[in-house]
Amino acid sequence: MTPSSAPEVLVIGSANTDLVVQTKRLPGPGETLLGGTFFVASGGKGANQAVAAALAGANVTFVACLGDDAFGKQALEGLRQKGIDTTYTLTDPDLSSGVAFILVDAQGENSIVVASGANAALSPVHLNAAAPAFDRAAICLLQLETPLPTVTRAVELAAQRGLRVILNPAPARALPPDILSGLFLLTPNESEAEHLTGIRPHTEETARQSAEILRNRGVESVLITLGARGALLVTGQGARRIPAPRVQVRDTTAAGDAFNGALACALSSGTPLEEAVAFANCAGALAVTRQGAQPSLPSRSEIRELLVKCPGNPGR
């Protein structure tokens, strides 16, 4: 992937502080476990994807709402240090910043509970004030950790400008037709695809069936992420599975965010869709080899180094 110029990506979404505990296994209902290492890291799907896109090579503008507290100030400073434009990132003095409580087991699987805080206050009115960011963007990247009316308004503003929208439907929830019909690309993982369609994509065929249901609801293209198996891309031209490189999994936190941020970066620079997915697969693969959310996100040079080694790279 060689962009012709620095791409412009607009990310609208959540910013959290992650409070992470490592355990040998995840606890069952009512069970107390003595965990291991505890650490704090910047997170939130929106902020993670903004940082992932910036590290992958994009010029990023981030729209979010933070609390006027230590967590919010630290998150804002971290974004700025990554070169992200936070002109339209708001601070609400009456709310706490979002936090996520994350457990990670010895196999790298995680369990997450989020207290949304100020993320729930990001409103359609805030997006109207961010119109200049929509005007200059090449891709708009969204998730579902902010209110659904705000996501709907973002899709509307993008549609008015002919701006392509990627929606990562996480955490999964029912989506109205006016959102689905405005999407260039929907990127659910397996559980999110099942929640949206009722079909568990445990095979390539069932993944294709799930994706076609979503396309029939108005989505232009669907990309179902399949973990170690890569991703299945379904467009009007058919379906193709694009494999991911094999890596040693340490922590799956933010793997999807690494994938989506890198994907948005690649597409905004004019990279063909299948090549952009291969680039994103490598970003997600690198993220699972490291601990934490934003600390695990790879640089552009790291992604490209792994990409040239990947046998399924459509651009080779």
Side-chain angles (χ1 to χ4, degrees), residues 26-310:
L26 301 179
E31 182 181 14
T32 299
L33 294 179
L34 292 178
T37 304
F38 168 76
F39 63 93
V40 179
S42 297
K45 289 187 178 299
N48 291 346
Q49 292 181 19
V51 172
L55 290 174
N59 290 328
V60 178
T61 298
F62 183 48
V63 179
C65 188
L66 299 168
D68 187 17
D69 52 23
F71 286 153
K73 293 173 183 176
Q74 184 176 11
L76 192 60
E77 179 60 25
L79 292 164
R80 290 171 175 167
Q81 288 179 357
K82 296 294 191 302
I84 294 170
D85 183 348
T86 60
T87 301
Y88 304 104
T89 297
L90 309 170
T91 298
D92 190 317
D94 298 321
L95 297 172
S96 61
S97 296
V99 294
F101 301 89
I102 303 176
L103 300 178
V104 182
D105 70 15
Q107 287 71 49
E109 293 299 323
N110 61 48
S111 180
I112 304 174
V113 176
V114 176
S116 296
N119 292 308
L122 185 66
S123 74
V125 174
H126 295 145
L127 297 193
N128 294 339
F134 284 87
D135 292 336
R136 65 174 182 260
I139 287 286
C140 178
L141 177 58
L142 307 170
Q143 321 78 34
L144 297 177
E145 285 186 338
T146 52
L148 204 57
T150 305
V151 176
T152 301
R153 183 55 179 160
V155 173
E156 291 172 351
L157 289 168
Q160 292 169 7
R161 294 160 172 79
L163 175 61
R164 293 184 297 174
V165 177
I166 302 171
L167 173 62
N168 176 220
R173 66 172 87 174
L175 295 173
D178 53 348
I179 286 182
L180 293 172
S181 62
L183 300 180
F184 163 67
L185 189 61
L186 186 70
T187 62
N189 63 18
E190 293 171 271
S191 64
E192 291 152 4
E194 181 178 20
H195 182 91
L196 290 169
T197 68
I199 296 178
R200 177 71 176 178
H202 60 280
T203 67
E204 194 167 317
E205 176 58 23
T206 54
R208 185 192 63 77
Q209 293 171 3
S210 183
E212 288 293 0
I213 289 174
L214 294 167
R215 290 193 68 250
N216 288 336
R217 294 177 185 170
V219 181
E220 183 174 340
S221 298
V222 177
L223 180 60
I224 299 180
T225 56
L226 304 170
R229 292 180 289 154
L232 184 75
L233 175 63
V234 182
T235 69
Q237 287 69 52
R240 178 177 176 183
R241 186 177 67 84
I242 300 172
R246 292 182 178 275
V247 295
Q248 183 65 44
V249 177
R250 188 177 183 186
D251 180 359
T252 59
T253 305
D257 297 332
F259 178 95
N260 281 279
L263 179 69
C265 173
L267 289 173
S268 67
S269 68
T271 301
L273 184 51
E274 289 188 8
E275 292 182 34
V277 176
F279 183 79
N281 275 342
C282 290
L286 287 166
V288 304
T289 66
R290 305 163 181 172
Q291 289 181 322
Q294 289 180 29
S296 74
L297 300 174
S299 68
R300 179 178 181 81
S301 61
E302 291 173 319
I303 299 170
R304 288 178 59 83
E305 182 179 355
L306 182 58
L307 183 64
V308 298
K309 301 175 183 177
C310 184

